[in-house]
Amino acid sequence: MTKTIVNLTLPILLEEIELALNQYPHHPYQQAFSNPDFRQELIAYVLSRVFSKYVVVDDEKRQHTDLKKMYYKPDQKQEREAYIHEGIHYLVDKYAEYVYHHIPSEVNSGSIPSNWFG
């Protein structure tokens, strides 16, 4: 049987990022983070700062297992949320020139070029 290492924190974090971004204005925040590269930067920012739990799962059993239920630490939710908001502000500030000059509010949110992070 083939086994895979799975980060149990990631699915929870992805949901929390989505909820956090919904609290921000569409322009520029939601538009900026609709770019997959920018979103990955945020995910990496938070994951590098919070406790993450990993397990080894049989590939055959993985499809029948609810990984989000295997690990959930509500007491760490506040910490994750704080880092999510910190990361949102950090990345928007880091790329502020691009965000505020190249993402007009009337443009489709998917228009951020992938070379933005060059």
Side-chain angles (χ1 to χ4, degrees):
M1 277 188 227
T2 305
K3 295 188 179 216
T4 304
I5 297 173
V6 177
N7 181 335
L8 296 177
T9 308
L10 184 58
I12 295 164
L13 180 63
L14 295 175
E15 286 181 8
E16 291 172 348
I17 286 173
E18 193 62 39
L19 291 171
L21 285 171
N22 286 335
Q23 298 172 16
Y24 287 85
H26 181 70
H27 181 266
Y29 296 95
Q30 290 182 29
Q31 283 183 290
F33 288 100
S34 69
N35 177 281
D37 293 335
F38 206 41
R39 179 75 61 118
Q40 291 297 315
E41 291 249 357
L42 178 58
I43 294 165
Y45 181 93
V46 179
L47 281 175
S48 67
R49 289 160 174 79
V50 299
F51 175 78
S52 291
K53 175 81 172 180
Y54 297 86
V55 294
V56 176
V57 180
D58 289 329
D59 285 343
E60 292 176 9
K61 293 180 182 177
R62 183 177 180 182
Q63 61 186 337
H64 303 294
T65 306
D66 185 358
L67 297 173
K68 286 195 286 187
K69 288 185 179 179
M70 287 179 68
Y71 176 78
Y72 182 71
K73 294 282 189 189
D75 55 321
Q76 295 172 348
K77 182 176 181 171
Q78 264 189 317
E79 178 185 32
R80 287 190 306 268
E81 288 175 347
Y83 282 123
I84 290 168
H85 292 286
E86 180 181 295
I88 289 169
H89 292 285
Y90 170 77
L91 291 169
V92 168
D93 288 347
K94 180 177 178 180
Y95 298 107
E97 184 177 335
Y98 189 91
V99 169
Y100 290 105
H101 291 105
H102 293 90
I103 306 178
S105 59
E106 66 274 359
V107 173
N108 183 344
S109 63
S111 65
I112 304 168
S114 62
N115 66 355
W116 175 12
F117 301 95

